[in-house]
Amino acid sequence: MQNNIIITGAAQRLGLHCALTLQHAGFQVTATYRSEKPGLQQLKDAGVHCIQLDITEPNALADFIDSIKQQLGSLRGLIHNASDWKKDLPLSDCDNARAALAADAAVYDAMQAVHAKAPYLLNRAFTPLLQAHDGVTDIIHLTDFVASVGSSKHMAYAASKAALENLTYSFARALAPKVKVNAIAPALLLFNDHDDACYRAKTLQKSLLQVEPGAAELSNTVMYLLNSRYITGKVIDLDGGRHLNLP
Ligand SMILES: NC(=O)C1=CN([C@@H]2O[C@H](COP(=O)(O)OP(=O)(O)OC[C@H]3O[C@@H](n4cnc5c(N)ncnc54)[C@H](OP(=O)(O)O)[C@@H]3O)[C@@H](O)[C@H]2O)C=CC1
Ligand SMILES: Nc1nc2c(c(=O)[nH]1)N=C([C@H](O)[C@@H](O)CO)CN2
């Protein structure tokens, strides 16, 4: 039986770990990536099918969907991991309102495009493949803790992750009982190499457990959802108790 899983943005970090975990668990993983990363070789060595794709580029997305529909008869899972963690721009003090608006709109549109529009389009395009699989199937959205509480420095990012969270509920309702649709909402899982000691200390303090759990925390949760027969329309919080770390 075919056990095809697609994961987007999987050439590095959490997506890379998840793609390798799934491949080693016996799934046949197709990983999309936007730009070449060292992790690509690990994916290829493990037998993962790697496809270059900017999910916000309409023509490339259409070609990708056509190609997958020609190659795969069914899909066991679709994991929306691709993401850009863009900060909001500093408030503009220039008199040129038009330029400031254009700059802010570019950030907002980019966040909606990668985190909400692309998952919406891919879910709808691949619904027939998910329904063709022999057995229950899964869609998993990677959202974020800040989707539920907002962010003072990543407003557009948080709003787009909130949109993706809401799409979780809509697709869960629309695609049941064949397809389970869930979200995973992490707070800190994995620092970036450029994060300095001060940022790391401040961020660790935000959760009750005060640890950086690493990529396995996400991969384990993905496997848990794939193995569940009775979870859909849920947001699984991976936040170390941050939601309770109140002043
Ligand atoms: N790391 C953490 O602690 C947390 C992560 N998350 C979420 O978990 C997921 C994985 O996180 P993480 O591994 O840190 O993410 P990264 O930012 O390290 O990687 C995301 C990947 O998505 C790719 N990507 C970005 N834009 C596009 C696009 N338009 N088309 C295709 N691919 C794209 C990037 O490609 P490129 O390299 O070319 O830019 C990158 O490889 C994300 O959804 C993130 O929002 C949420 C909370 C905390
Ligand atoms: N695409 C990404 N999204 C997020 C990242 C990241 O590195 N890439 N990192 C975070 C932070 O870890 C945050 O949760 C804690 O400061 C959020 N989203």
Side-chain angles (χ1 to χ4, degrees), residues 13 83-85 144 157 187-190 192 199 203 242:
R13 293 166 50 83
S83 168
D84 247 336
W85 191 34
D144 190 309
Y157 165 86
L188 167 73
L189 291 184
L190 189 65
N192 279 281
Y199 172 81
T203 303
R242 180 166 169 184

Side-chain angles (χ1 to χ4, degrees), residues 40-172:
L40 272 179
Q41 195 53 55
Q42 285 180 261
L43 292 172
K44 292 171 181 175
D45 292 346
V48 172
H49 182 206
C50 300
I51 301 176
Q52 194 283 329
L53 174 67
D54 180 338
I55 61 175
T56 64
E57 208 297 302
N59 294 323
L61 195 68
D63 292 343
F64 171 70
I65 290 165
D66 284 342
S67 169
I68 291 292
K69 285 184 170 180
Q70 284 159 19
Q71 291 174 42
L72 306 182
S74 66
L75 264 185
R76 169 65 184 81
L78 175 56
I79 302 172
H80 298 285
N81 171 77
S83 168
D84 247 336
W85 191 34
K86 280 189 189 299
K87 271 193 175 178
D88 303 310
L89 299 174
L91 288 177
S92 168
D93 55 8
C94 77
D95 295 337
N96 186 341
R98 195 174 297 277
L101 276 175
D104 278 344
V107 172
Y108 187 88
D109 292 347
M111 292 295 87
Q112 291 293 329
V114 67
H115 297 135
K117 183 177 180 181
Y120 172 78
L121 297 175
L122 286 167
N123 286 352
R124 289 171 58 84
F126 289 146
T127 290
L129 291 183
L130 289 159
Q131 290 173 330
H133 182 79
D134 181 15
V136 71
T137 56
D138 286 82
I139 292 172
I140 298 174
H141 295 153
L142 266 296
T143 59
D144 190 309
F145 166 79
V146 296
S148 57
V149 297
S151 169
S152 59
K153 295 177 181 166
H154 299 82
M155 292 181 188
Y157 165 86
S160 66
K161 289 287 191 173
L164 182 55
E165 182 173 298
N166 189 268
L167 286 171
T168 307
Y169 309 136
S170 297
F171 278 104

